[in-house]
Amino acid sequence: MTQDQVLHILFLTLVTAAKLAAPILLAVLIIGLLVSIFQVATQIQEMTLTFIPKLAVAVLILIVLGDWMLGTLKAFALEIIEISISR
């Protein structure tokens, strides 16, 4: 395996990881911000209040986008196998 192939595989890995993590991270970030604004407005300073909404949104995103995520992982795995066979 050449250095170019290794760098290409590394690039594909990082792009795929970013594609898969971005929807969940962005949704949890937005919910965390909204809950924080709610806590400031109501002066409720409970640390565990943010946990349940973030968890619920993360699970919802996984349910909604799970098929797309698995398809992306499958395409990534097939491309890696193709690269390793063609060497």
Side-chain angles (χ1 to χ4, degrees), residues 59-71:
V59 168
L60 182 66
I61 294 292
L62 284 173
I63 289 171
V64 171
L65 297 178
D67 188 43
W68 170 77
M69 289 177 170
L70 286 175

Side-chain angles (χ1 to χ4, degrees), residues 2 4 6 9 16 24 26-29 32 37 44-45 47 53 61 64-67 71 74 76-77 84-85:
T2 66
D4 290 338
V6 172
I9 289 172
T16 303
I24 296 172
L26 288 175
V28 168
L29 176 74
I37 290 171
I44 298 173
Q45 297 303 321
M47 295 297 286
I61 294 292
V64 171
L65 297 178
D67 188 43
K74 179 183 172 187
F76 170 72
S84 66
I85 289 175

Side-chain angles (χ1 to χ4, degrees), residues 6-59:
V6 172
L7 288 175
H8 182 66
I9 289 172
L10 179 63
F11 175 75
L12 289 176
T13 303
L14 292 175
V15 168
T16 303
K19 271 196 238 179
L20 294 176
I24 296 172
L25 291 175
L26 288 175
V28 168
L29 176 74
I30 291 168
I31 291 299
L33 181 64
L34 292 175
V35 170
S36 295
I37 290 171
F38 173 76
Q39 283 181 319
V40 168
T42 60
Q43 295 183 354
I44 298 173
Q45 297 303 321
E46 180 62 34
M47 295 297 286
T48 59
L49 184 63
T50 61
F51 181 71
I52 298 298
K54 287 181 183 179
L55 182 64
V57 167
V59 168

Side-chain angles (χ1 to χ4, degrees), residues 66-82:
D67 188 43
W68 170 77
M69 289 177 170
L70 286 175
T72 303
L73 280 175
K74 179 183 172 187
F76 170 72
L78 290 174
E79 191 165 355
I80 295 297
I81 292 169
E82 234 176 67

